[in-house]
Amino acid sequence: MFQNPHAPRSLALFCKVVDNYGDIGICWRLARQLTHEHGVAVTLWVDDLHSFQRLCPEIRTESEEQNVAGIAVRHWRDQDGVFAPQDIADIVIEFFACDIPPGYIEAMAQCEPRPVWFNLEGLTAEEWVEGCHTLPSSHPQLPLTKHFFFPGFTPRTGGLLHESGLEHERAAFQSDTAARQHFLDGLGLTAEERAAQKISLFCYPHAPVADLLHVWQAGDTPVCCLVPEGVAKKAISAFLEMPATAGAVRTRGALTVRVLPFIPQPDYDRLLWSCDLNFVRGEDSWVRAQWAARPFVWHIYPQDENLHHKKLKAFLQRYAENIESLTSLPLCWNGAAQAADGWSALWRQFNADGEKIMQRASAWQQQMLENGDLTSNLLKFADALVAERDKNQV
């Protein structure tokens, strides 16, 4: 990747955990890919080690500094601190416009050459992203320039996070019946649950979970709903008539609900690959569901004045094509529309369109692969900035 001897070899990634696991989930995937696939020395600054530990059990929540999977992890406690130029990485990334410590920025300005500085933005399908991707922004006081880098769904964006071996691993797993059975056995599923329509459920607390549980319970098709512990606790506990703790399971009517322990990222991918339908939320699980080449329903992170509904509709306009139920069910799930004929009719139509939705999921996944992966695209752009910088200094 880096042919220029002055090209970036180290990177600092700053992450503030806002959406429980989504922010750190994205940053942890990015850090691992940078290190393991591109040989970049990564320091990951993160403010919430407890959320991080849920995704990566090796994390020690009491440690200020630690090395995990070849990545230096620093506990980012506050905005204080004095930094020297030798503390500064070749590339500095602030994830989702988090404010990095002023002392770090001041030290960046003292470096020769100065580091490449990115604001890695959140994922959206809105058209304006193409015009803003890679735009520069000069610091108001210091001789520093920050560039905006947007993930996205078109060749004029940064693409999506995608490890180089992920597609081969997914295809091999989904074609291996024994491997899938072994994985599901490990989660506690019975033979009847494995044979049912398997649906993973990951959503925010305000999702209309009880409505769908009622439809599935009253339906003719056996459904096994797999819910990570802590998700939709009120609705799940009401269905189970017991606390929704890991291992809890109950069958009522055609529906079996099983509560899963929180699992590491690689196993979450396998869960998505094993299910017939995945309800996902935020950004990280949303992207992983797209790589699973399986039908999914996205629960978007809520914003003031329902701005998230605009983002949801922008994605559905790209993704759903002419499959009406692939638009109507996500809109109702997110409160952006009403289920005029009830949730039973909505679910019946979604199921009836199952083959078309499955084909669309597979075609979309292949389309996204053509855009390249975000990590490689980001490093290529960083290398181009370094080359231009060196050229101007000659």
Side-chain angles (χ1 to χ4, degrees), residues 87-290:
D87 300 324
I88 306 303
D90 299 322
I91 302 176
V92 179
I93 298 177
E94 51 188 47
F95 179 71
F96 207 26
C98 64
D99 293 323
I100 63 179
Y104 198 96
I105 297 175
E106 292 168 4
M108 288 166 58
Q110 300 170 21
C111 292
E112 280 297 338
R114 295 186 182 93
V116 176
W117 186 11
F118 289 130
N119 178 11
L120 180 57
E121 285 284 358
L123 176 62
T124 179
E126 294 168 289
E127 291 184 1
W128 60 263
V129 165
E130 292 185 339
C132 296
H133 179 55
T134 72
L135 282 182
S137 174
S138 299
H139 192 279
Q141 286 90 34
L142 300 172
L144 292 169
T145 299
K146 174 168 55 178
H147 287 81
F148 294 90
F149 200 89
F150 282 84
F153 304 102
T154 74
R156 296 181 61 187
T157 67
L160 303 176
L161 272 175
H162 182 273
E163 302 88 339
S164 62
L166 182 65
E167 176 60 5
H168 174 77
E169 184 181 354
R170 177 200 67 81
F173 182 85
Q174 289 182 335
S175 63
D176 189 337
T177 303
R180 294 199 309 277
Q181 178 173 333
H182 178 74
F183 173 73
L184 294 172
D185 285 347
L187 296 178
L189 273 70
T190 65
E192 291 77 13
E193 291 169 40
R194 293 198 309 271
Q197 182 181 18
K198 293 177 291 297
I199 300 174
S200 74
L201 178 64
F202 191 39
C203 61
Y204 295 110
H206 60 282
V209 173
D211 292 315
L212 269 187
L213 294 184
H214 177 75
V215 170
W216 295 339
Q217 179 182 342
D220 298 325
T221 302
V223 172
C224 178
C225 180
L226 304 172
V227 190
E229 185 177 22
V231 172
K233 288 191 294 186
K234 182 177 180 181
I236 299 301
S237 296
F239 178 87
L240 296 171
E241 296 183 340
M242 67 178 77
T245 54
V249 60
R250 184 170 185 184
T251 299
R252 298 171 66 181
L255 174 62
T256 298
V257 171
R258 178 177 290 276
V259 181
L260 304 179
F262 208 91
I263 54 180
Q265 285 181 329
D267 281 341
Y268 184 67
D269 280 328
R270 295 184 185 97
L271 177 64
L272 296 175
W273 300 343
S274 299
C275 287
D276 303 294
L277 172 64
N278 296 299
F279 284 79
V280 291
R281 78 182 195 190
E283 182 172 329
D284 185 50
S285 61
W286 175 35
V287 171
R288 304 313 281 192
Q290 293 173 61

Side-chain angles (χ1 to χ4, degrees), residues 21-89:
Y21 311 111
D23 302 295
I24 185 56
I26 294 166
C27 289
W28 184 230
R29 291 188 195 281
L30 175 61
R32 294 203 313 272
Q33 190 177 3
L34 285 163
T35 298
H36 301 155
E37 295 185 19
H38 298 277
V40 178
V42 177
T43 299
L44 174 57
W45 294 79
V46 59
D47 66 336
D48 183 352
L49 294 180
H50 290 278
S51 291
F52 193 178
Q53 189 184 56
R54 296 294 299 276
L55 295 177
C56 179
E58 295 87 347
I59 289 293
R60 303 185 305 275
T61 58
E62 73 283 357
S63 296
E64 295 298 311
E65 301 180 31
Q66 54 194 300
N67 189 289
V68 181
I71 297 160
V73 177
R74 300 285 300 272
H75 190 184
W76 181 13
R77 289 190 175 276
D78 50 44
Q79 294 296 84
D80 297 331
V82 178
F83 299 87
Q86 59 266 29
D87 300 324
I88 306 303

